């Protein structure tokens, strides 16, 4: 579909507005353009991006589905549409796009990778293996295809076969960076599981140093450190009376009373606890949704805690949660599990009067080690996981927020230890369930059978599809010599959190 010169100019204007972060005006221009060119697939895709930026996720999804229908054989555009749908947590629709991309270009390895990873995350490992077979047959030495082969071998418990492939890949030339890095993490995990701890640490240290050689990470970490310092200066000004005042107010909407927060440092057992709780019929758990970060947190940063429109923003937050469930949720408790947002717990306390807060705890050295072995997309949070020094600082920064607010009090909170959950899941599960105002159900411990592959977007999704085990407790002892230099700085936290 051809556009007129005037429409092309408007399109350029919308792109420039987007580049300038004037997302509201950009969304308006895209909307007007679609009134004239409703079936232009590339325009529909960019308009979907604009709708997502202004938090209209339902409109974004509609535009993406329409773009896919009209994208024809444009494999590149179909890949973009599929990735955005996957980002918006519509994996089935994303998979349709990737399948269309492969029909247009059977050699599109990126499409194979996206589709195979969606299938594996959904527990369809055998189907994923079937999809991989043709690309391996036609491109047996393609590095990404070989990585996927090793990845599926590892998921199927075939560690020897996975290790052979991964050793060849990590010792060869650098290929697609993200996958090359993942090869190291996957191999390090196998080495860890087979008690080759020294080699695992050396392998990860080498690839992390390679990643950190990019100067962009230094800037990212500087911005992170400045934000942490600013946050703690703010929290030092807080008083118990302020928190009690916030929590004693009337909620902006009756449904706000349903919201509960599950936080803690990443890798502290939040996903496991979430799965136990989500098995309750009167509770719906939302696994690391972007709703709070997209709507409430930026509003508070810009306008402060007393702006009269804050109530409207909590409405946007609820709408985004409901969008994830298909438009409705009758549960008595809406549990937002978001460990990284523990850093802005004060914003939760301002926004949701009477909120119940659950903070997951785990031995700080186990947390550090688990973060070091975590293969996740590179962002401001995971950039802190590229060295033990940075992980230690990140842990202390986040726990400083929690301990400061815990000391101030004035809100309803509890701590839940990972070690207690894995040792006695029914006992700890009951304690947290009852804290949230619900009666414990004995079948909650069978979460891995009831909802084995639904709603989990955290990097640990694979671990919580299995019965509870204790293999990860005191794992740090196997790596004590690497963690020893950080123990002195962590000692106050070990004491205050009960791990001394």
């Amino acid at each position: 579909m051809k556009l007129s010169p005037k429409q092309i100019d408007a399109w350029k204007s919308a792109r420039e507005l987007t580049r300038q972060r004037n997302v509201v005006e950009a969304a308006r221009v895209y909307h007007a353009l679609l009134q004239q060119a409703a079936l232009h697939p590339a325009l529909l895709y960019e308009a979907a991006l604009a709708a997502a930026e202004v938090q209209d996720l339902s409109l974004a999804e509609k535009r993406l589905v329409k773009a896919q229908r009209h994208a024809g054989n444009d494999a590149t555009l179909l890949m973009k549409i599929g990735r955005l749908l996957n980002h918006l947590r519509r994996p089935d629709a994303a998979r349709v796009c990737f399948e269309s991309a492969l029909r247009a270009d059977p050699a599109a390895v990126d499409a194979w990778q996206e589709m195979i990873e969606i299938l594996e995350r959904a527990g369809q490992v055998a189907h994923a293996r079937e999809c991989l077979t043709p690309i391996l047959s036609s491109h047996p030495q393609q590095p990404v295809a070989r990585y996927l082969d090793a990845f599926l071998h590892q998921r199927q418990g075939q560690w020897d076969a996975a290790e052979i492939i991964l050793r060849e890949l990590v010792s060869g030339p650098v290929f697609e960076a993200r996958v090359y890095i993942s090869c190291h993490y996957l191999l390090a995990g196998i080495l860890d599981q087979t008690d080759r701890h020294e080699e695992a640490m050396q392998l990860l240290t080498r690839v992390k140093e390679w990643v950190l050689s990019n100067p962009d990470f230094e800037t990212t970490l500087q911005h992170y450190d400045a934000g942490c310092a600013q946050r703690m200066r703010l929290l030092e000004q807080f008083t118990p009376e302020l928190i009690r005042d916030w929590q004693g107010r009337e909620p902006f909407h009756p449904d706000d009373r349903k919201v509960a927060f599950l936080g803690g440092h990443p890798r502290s057992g939040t996903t496991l606890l979430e799965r136990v709780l989500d098995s309750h019929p009167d509770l719906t758990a939302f696994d690391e949704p972007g709703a709070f970060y997209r709507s409430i947190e930026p509003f508070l940063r810009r306008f402060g805690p007393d702006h009269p429109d804050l109530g409207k923003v909590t409405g946007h937050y609820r709408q985004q949660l409901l969008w994830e469930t298909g438009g409705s949720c009758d549960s008595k408790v809406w549990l937002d599990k978001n460990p990284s947002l523990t850093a802005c717990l004060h914003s939760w306390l301002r926004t949701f009067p009477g909120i119940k807060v659950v903070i997951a705890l785990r031995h700080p050295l186990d947390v550090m080690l688990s973060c070091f072995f975590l293969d996740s997309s590179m962002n401001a949070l995971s950039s802190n996981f590229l060295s033990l020094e940075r992980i230690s600082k990140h842990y202390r920064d986040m726990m400083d927020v929690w301990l400061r607010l815990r000391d101030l009090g004035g809100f309803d909170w509890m701590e839940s230890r990972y070690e207690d959950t894995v040792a006695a899941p029914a006992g700890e599960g009951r304690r947290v369930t009852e804290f949230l105002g619900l009666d414990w159900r004995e079948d909650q411990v069978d979460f891995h059978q009831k909802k084995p592959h639904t709603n989990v977007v955290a990097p640990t999704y694979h671990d919580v599809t299995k019965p509870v085990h204790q293999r990860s407790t005191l794992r740090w002892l196997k790596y004590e010599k690497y963690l020893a230099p950080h123990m002195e700085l962590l000692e106050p936290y070990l004491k205050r959190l009960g791990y001394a």
Side-chain angles (χ1 to χ4, degrees), residues 287-351:
D287 191 67
E288 303 183 20
F292 190 92
Y293 187 77
R294 283 192 299 258
S295 55
I296 294 174
E297 180 63 11
F299 181 90
L300 290 173
R301 283 201 305 268
R302 182 176 181 184
F303 298 111
D306 298 315
H307 195 281
D309 287 341
L310 182 56
K312 295 179 182 178
V313 181
T314 66
H316 296 155
Y317 168 82
R318 292 192 308 276
Q319 289 171 7
Q320 290 181 49
L321 290 188
L322 292 174
W323 179 80
E324 289 201 11
T325 64
S328 64
C329 181
D330 297 327
S331 298
K332 295 178 182 178
V333 178
W334 299 2
L335 184 70
D336 192 322
K337 171 252 180 174
N338 242 317
S340 63
L341 296 189
T342 305
C344 54
L345 179 56
H346 52 291
S347 298
W348 291 88
L349 298 178
R350 170 60 188 98
T351 309

Side-chain angles (χ1 to χ4, degrees), residues 14 50 58 110 126 129 149 176 272 277 289 315 358 387 398 407 436 485:
S58 179
D110 286 354
R129 172 61 70 185
D149 189 21
E176 200 279 317
L272 172 60
L277 297 171
V358 180
S387 71
M398 187 167 286
D407 288 346
L436 294 172

Side-chain angles (χ1 to χ4, degrees), residues 141-425:
Q141 298 304 314
Q142 211 286 334
V144 175
R146 297 195 71 206
Y147 161 74
L148 292 171
D149 189 21
F151 175 68
L152 293 180
H153 278 309
Q154 189 268 347
R155 288 295 189 259
Q156 293 171 309
Q158 300 161 0
W159 292 353
D160 290 344
E163 181 177 343
I164 291 171
I165 298 169
L166 292 169
R167 284 193 180 279
E168 292 178 3
L169 290 173
V170 301
S171 62
V174 175
F175 52 99
E176 200 279 317
R178 179 63 258 176
V179 180
Y180 178 74
I181 294 167
S182 291
C183 286
H184 289 74
Y185 279 94
L186 193 61
L187 178 55
I190 293 172
L191 295 171
D192 173 69
Q193 291 282 344
T194 51
D195 296 326
R196 288 172 284 175
H197 308 119
E198 186 95 12
E199 188 179 359
M201 285 298 289
Q202 291 172 355
L203 180 71
L204 282 185
T205 299
R206 186 168 66 247
V207 75
K208 287 173 185 284
E209 288 174 349
W210 178 74
V211 174
L212 280 170
S213 65
N214 184 332
D216 291 344
F217 283 106
E218 183 176 352
T219 303
T220 299
L221 294 173
Q222 288 173 351
H223 288 163
Y224 167 83
D225 290 343
C228 284
Q230 183 180 30
R231 183 185 305 117
M232 287 312 298
R233 288 194 295 269
L234 173 66
L235 292 179
E236 287 302 321
Q237 301 173 27
F238 280 27
T239 63
E241 293 74 22
L242 176 66
I243 303 296
R244 284 199 296 270
D245 174 57
W246 285 352
Q247 286 293 285
R249 299 182 185 185
E250 286 298 311
F252 293 107
H253 187 277
D255 280 346
D256 287 351
R257 287 285 190 194
K258 298 180 178 181
V259 176
F261 175 69
L262 171 57
H265 194 278
R267 307 300 290 158
S268 292
T270 52
T271 306
L272 172 60
L273 186 57
E274 173 207 5
R275 291 294 88 192
V276 174
L277 297 171
D278 191 47
S279 293
H280 196 290
D282 291 329
L283 182 148
T284 295
F286 297 87
D287 191 67
E288 303 183 20
F292 190 92
Y293 187 77
R294 283 192 299 258
S295 55
I296 294 174
E297 180 63 11
F299 181 90
L300 290 173
R301 283 201 305 268
R302 182 176 181 184
F303 298 111
D306 298 315
H307 195 281
D309 287 341
L310 182 56
K312 295 179 182 178
V313 181
T314 66
H316 296 155
Y317 168 82
R318 292 192 308 276
Q319 289 171 7
Q320 290 181 49
L321 290 188
L322 292 174
W323 179 80
E324 289 201 11
T325 64
S328 64
C329 181
D330 297 327
S331 298
K332 295 178 182 178
V333 178
W334 299 2
L335 184 70
D336 192 322
K337 171 252 180 174
N338 242 317
S340 63
L341 296 189
T342 305
C344 54
L345 179 56
H346 52 291
S347 298
W348 291 88
L349 298 178
R350 170 60 188 98
T351 309
F352 296 104
I355 189 173
K356 291 181 179 292
V357 174
V358 180
I359 299 296
L361 299 178
R362 184 182 181 188
H363 194 293
L365 294 173
D366 273 331
V367 172
M368 279 188 61
L369 185 66
S370 190
C371 289
F372 193 76
F373 273 81
L374 179 64
D375 181 16
S376 60
S377 58
M378 287 294 105
N379 53 40
L381 170 65
S382 59
S383 296
N384 284 280
F385 298 168
L386 291 172
S387 71
L388 290 173
E389 290 77 13
R390 288 301 311 189
I391 297 171
S392 173
K393 183 183 185 305
H394 188 273
Y395 182 86
R396 288 179 277 121
D397 289 338
M398 187 167 286
M399 288 298 102
D400 282 342
V401 172
W402 166 238
L403 291 170
R404 173 60 178 159
L405 292 170
R406 189 181 77 172
D407 288 346
L408 289 171
F411 63 103
D412 202 3
W413 62 269
M414 74 172 295
E415 294 172 336
S416 174
R417 297 179 186 278
Y418 170 79
E419 294 83 359
D420 293 340
T421 302
V422 298

Side-chain angles (χ1 to χ4, degrees), residues 11-81:
W11 194 353
K12 290 178 180 178
S13 173
R15 287 175 167 173
E16 180 61 21
L17 288 165
T18 300
R19 190 188 66 80
Q20 296 172 358
R21 301 302 300 159
N22 189 349
V23 294
V24 174
E25 183 61 18
R28 187 195 66 76
V29 175
Y30 275 116
H31 180 77
L33 265 173
L34 286 179
Q35 305 305 305
Q36 308 164 45
L39 303 182
H40 193 292
L43 183 58
L44 280 163
Y45 167 72
E46 291 188 21
L49 280 171
E53 285 284 352
V54 295
Q55 303 162 39
D56 194 340
L57 304 185
S58 179
L59 179 60
E61 181 182 13
K62 290 176 182 176
R63 287 173 174 173
L64 288 171
V65 171
K66 185 181 287 188
Q68 186 267 330
R69 287 203 302 265
H70 295 280
N73 293 323
D74 189 337
T76 301
L77 179 59
L78 286 164
M79 283 293 299
K80 291 180 179 179
I81 296 168

Side-chain angles (χ1 to χ4, degrees), residues 95 112 115-116 119 124-137 152 156:
R95 183 177 154 192
W112 286 110
M115 190 166 68
I116 287 166
L119 289 169
Q124 301 179 43
V125 179
H127 189 182
R129 172 61 70 185
E130 291 175 6
C131 290
L132 181 60
T133 299
I135 196 72
L136 277 175
S137 298
L152 293 180
Q156 293 171 309

